[in-house]
Amino acid sequence: MECIVQGIIETQHVEALEILLQGLCGVHRERLRIHEICLKNSPNLGNVASEIRLLCDLEQTEPMWTVKHVGGAMRGAGAEQISVLVRTTVESKVSKNVLRLFYALGYKLDHELLRVGFAFHFLRGAQITVTVSSINKMLKLHATDEAVPVTPGIQVVEVTAPATSENYTEVAAAMSSFCEYLAPYLVIQLLWISERLDWLLHLSKPGVSTGVVATAAAAAASLMSDGGGTTL
Amino acid sequence: MPIKWVLHWQPHAGTSVNSQILNEVSQCVESINGVKEGRWKATLTFYKPMLRDQSLAGEFPRDFLGISVPEQPNKYYFVIRAQRIVMEADSSIQNIMEKLQSYKMRVALNFEGFQYQLGDFQLRVGKVVPTHSENLRGIVMEVEYLPISSIEKSRQIMEEFLQIWQEALSKRSLPGQFMHMEPNFTEYGLPEPYTSQHTAVQYATVMAQLIASVQSGQAVRN
């Protein structure tokens, strides 16, 4: 289970945000370069439509793979009273042939992306991770060296913290109070951004320009429309 | 990690495994001064695809195995033998597979028994039984040589040890013998030195041999 808040920021403000985060967290940033592959089950397989994310950490000397399953977001009265999104997630570190295995099992590539940016990990009422990254799409299959930004001029900010069914209200409170510091720099939303990014990338196939928006304004619009953005 | 060979009991034609053979094998290890150290258990689970249209079953792997090994309690291994794929994962991958609802457990088998120390060798003798059952399906044996983790460098000493072992066991005139079928690890992309992924591949190979010997036994009886 994790608590998550997402936001977007114009690239011109990223440096200021980084300085703020450095001051707030008291730790150094870590470079972030993650190749993310989203797979979906083939139509005949499984009782339900399922989706799995394979994350490859390219910052390590030997690329490290993780499988991540993101479940549904918590709903109901409890969820409405907190200002972050709570969802079930399960992760497992895996060896490098994970993609081959899932293809063999009948999973198909839906889309892939490359996150490039930085992350801060720190303890502040909860084990919080803040990532600031540009989202890039590959022009050729798996060609991470030839990636281009999906939303030029706009970067995605994610604040996450692991939680359990016992402590999520405390974790959510710690995250909300931390996010207040970030509010002047970015538009914070719950989870519309990643859904919209998935959709943009789902539309975008290698060699086709669909899914890449031309300007920062268009990028912001594509990520934010109908999103019900809320500043905390 | 130390080199390990996993062997399976191959019954003579027309015979089958029984618990008396397992007892004799265990006594034989003790007769060559193997010191009993405790129990061990590995679990092999066959998964099958959950399909909306069963006629398309041929498009999905029939031999998708999930394996847990005692030396890596926090890891889980997937093997698809037909495609020579092995993957190591944190054991939370089992939780992920459940959530995906695309494959479900068909049958699970335990390899379980006792572990013995014999100088630099560690031996494990075990029965193959379905979980929640005592129905003996096979006998397995693991030979681990603790000082060496290279498959090639250990080959000679492993072969010599097995020769001594087979001689000791032959005195009991049992209706079968232990077989070592070394998989081609290179096909699985597994280089030297030896790792738990090699063990998972050996378990999958042993399982295939056991299934084949049960099927050929049935064919003989029919």
Side-chain angles (χ1 to χ4, degrees):
Chain A
M1 199 174 226
E2 71 176 10
C3 292
I4 179 166
V5 165
Q6 291 186 324
I8 57 171
I9 183 169
E10 286 185 56
T11 301
Q12 57 181 322
H13 298 136
V14 165
E15 199 180 334
L17 178 66
E18 186 187 334
I19 293 166
L20 173 78
L21 286 167
Q22 177 90 55
L24 287 171
C25 313
V27 292
H28 288 290
R29 69 170 209 172
E30 289 172 19
R31 277 155 46 121
L32 186 81
R33 193 174 159 82
I34 293 178
H35 181 193
E36 189 170 320
I37 299 174
C38 178
L39 304 178
K40 290 188 174 171
N41 54 341
S42 56
N44 185 46
L45 177 68
N47 288 341
V48 291
S50 62
E51 183 179 298
I52 189 87
R53 283 166 192 275
L54 314 183
L55 314 176
C56 181
D57 185 347
L58 300 173
E59 273 302 312
Q60 309 298 321
T61 17
E62 184 77 11
M64 269 178 50
W65 287 88
T66 302
V67 174
K68 184 169 186 176
H69 179 266
V70 178
M74 196 172 79
R75 296 180 193 282
E80 282 164 18
Q81 286 166 15
I82 51 179
S83 56
V84 306
L85 197 123
V86 183
R87 63 185 186 182
T88 55
T89 54
V90 190
E91 286 190 7
S92 171
K93 287 199 167 51
V94 290
S95 55
K96 63 184 176 192
N97 43 4
V98 56
L99 183 60
R100 231 187 116 208
L101 181 97
F102 274 95
Y103 279 161
L105 293 181
Y107 277 76
K108 310 275 182 216
L109 177 70
D110 184 74
H111 65 264
E112 58 179 344
L113 59 94
L114 179 72
R115 285 177 195 271
V116 181
F118 57 87
F120 286 92
H121 305 279
F122 54 95
L123 191 65
R124 197 183 175 103
Q127 189 58 53
I128 296 176
T129 295
V130 181
T131 63
V132 181
S133 55
S134 68
I135 308 296
N136 302 272
K137 64 167 250 174
M138 268 61 90
L139 297 175
K140 287 185 211 148
L141 188 67
H142 307 329
T144 50
D145 293 338
E146 299 172 42
V148 295
V150 180
T151 55
I154 295 283
Q155 300 207 12
V156 174
V157 181
E158 272 189 5
V159 185
T160 56
T164 65
S165 51
E166 282 79 40
N167 74 356
Y168 73 86
T169 44
E170 290 84 6
V171 172
M175 263 181 60
S176 299
S177 77
F178 175 77
C179 287
E180 283 176 23
Y181 294 106
L182 311 185
Y185 292 85
L186 63 153
V187 183
I188 292 176
Q189 298 201 326
L190 292 185
L191 213 56
W192 290 92
I193 291 170
S194 56
E195 284 172 10
R196 283 182 173 274
L197 273 171
D198 280 354
W199 181 240
L200 278 176
L201 288 157
H202 173 81
L203 293 176
S204 113
K205 301 292 175 205
V208 180
S209 61
T210 324
V212 176
V213 280
T215 64
S222 67
L223 292 178
M224 305 297 289
S225 57
D226 297 324
T230 52
T231 41
L232 294 179
Chain B
M1 67 174 288
I3 177 73
K4 184 195 289 191
W5 283 13
V6 183
L7 301 92
H8 68 280
W9 181 257
Q10 180 72 52
H12 288 158
T15 68
S16 57
V17 287
N18 59 59
S19 53
Q20 184 54 33
I21 298 172
L22 185 64
N23 291 341
E24 292 263 5
V25 171
S26 304
Q27 284 168 19
C28 188
V29 178
E30 288 176 31
S31 74
I32 57 170
N33 296 326
V35 180
K36 196 185 260 189
E37 285 192 319
R39 293 190 158 274
W40 68 281
K41 184 169 104 172
T43 304
L44 282 83
T45 304
F46 281 94
Y47 290 92
K48 65 172 182 182
M50 295 156 87
L51 299 175
R52 288 168 215 174
D53 178 357
Q54 293 300 329
S55 68
L56 297 173
E59 292 177 12
F60 301 94
R62 292 171 51 83
D63 60 346
F64 177 34
L65 260 178
I67 300 171
S68 66
V69 300
E71 66 264 24
Q72 294 281 4
N74 300 321
K75 297 284 181 189
Y76 198 70
Y77 299 85
F78 284 135
V79 179
I80 303 176
R81 266 187 77 244
Q83 297 183 52
R84 301 291 189 264
I85 300 174
V86 57
M87 185 188 87
E88 181 182 73
D90 290 346
S91 43
S92 54
I93 194 81
Q94 294 171 85
N95 193 354
I96 293 178
M97 292 308 289
E98 270 177 41
K99 287 182 182 294
L100 290 178
Q101 293 184 54
S102 49
Y103 281 80
K104 68 177 173 189
M105 212 183 273
R106 185 168 62 191
V107 61
L109 295 156
N110 288 341
F111 287 9
E112 57 182 339
F114 286 99
Q115 179 173 311
Y116 302 86
Q117 191 80 25
L118 190 64
D120 284 338
F121 289 90
Q122 200 158 54
L123 305 186
R124 294 190 186 93
V125 176
K127 57 186 177 182
V128 179
V129 287
T131 48
H132 316 301
S133 158
E134 282 301 312
N135 201 352
L136 187 69
R137 297 290 171 85
I139 297 172
V140 287
M141 181 172 166
E142 293 186 12
V143 180
E144 201 169 352
Y145 183 61
L146 303 173
I148 297 183
S149 60
S150 159
I151 300 164
E152 287 313 317
K153 286 180 187 155
S154 60
R155 191 172 299 283
Q156 192 182 346
I157 194 162
M158 294 297 275
E159 282 170 356
E160 285 171 4
F161 179 85
L162 274 193
Q163 207 174 346
I164 294 166
W165 164 250
Q166 302 282 27
E167 276 170 25
L169 197 60
S170 66
K171 291 175 188 148
R172 292 174 185 256
S173 306
L174 296 172
Q177 60 179 329
F178 278 107
M179 303 279 288
H180 176 236
M181 311 280 282
E182 185 173 301
N184 186 341
F185 293 121
T186 320
E187 288 179 355
Y188 287 87
L190 293 178
E192 295 261 21
Y194 191 84
T195 66
S196 295
Q197 291 197 72
H198 293 77
T199 303
V201 169
Q202 289 200 74
Y203 280 180
T205 308
V206 160
M207 202 59 239
Q209 293 298 324
L210 289 173
I211 292 169
S213 70
V214 167
Q215 284 170 345
S216 68
Q218 283 169 347
V220 166
R221 278 193 293 280
N222 294 337

